[in-house]
Amino acid sequence: MKKITQLDLALTIGHKSVSTIAKIEAGLENKHYNIEHLYKIAAVLEVDICEFFLPHHI
């Protein structure tokens, strides 16, 4: 919805490539975001960090 690429997101939160973002989104290699990453992602997406912890219906 925000039209932010994985590369833009990765660079904004301090990663040098999209591989970590892609692995987290795909649930691969037991990779996860930490609270600092979630804070930065919330800022980039202009949403409250609490949004990440609410149940969403797809």
Side-chain angles (χ1 to χ4, degrees):
M1 290 177 14
K2 298 286 184 170
K3 303 204 187 289
I4 295 172
T5 67
Q6 285 183 335
L7 179 59
D8 290 338
L9 181 61
L11 294 175
T12 302
I13 68 170
H15 293 291
K16 295 179 180 169
S17 72
V18 300
S19 64
T20 301
I21 302 294
K23 288 175 184 175
I24 292 169
E25 287 183 2
L28 301 175
E29 296 182 15
N30 201 27
K31 300 247 182 225
H32 303 282
Y33 293 116
N34 63 35
I35 195 71
E36 181 181 359
H37 291 135
L38 293 177
Y39 176 80
K40 290 176 180 180
I41 292 168
V44 170
L45 299 177
E46 299 175 332
V47 298
D48 189 306
I49 194 171
C50 294
E51 289 291 317
F52 298 131
F53 302 99
L54 299 174
H56 289 90
H57 301 284
I58 298 175

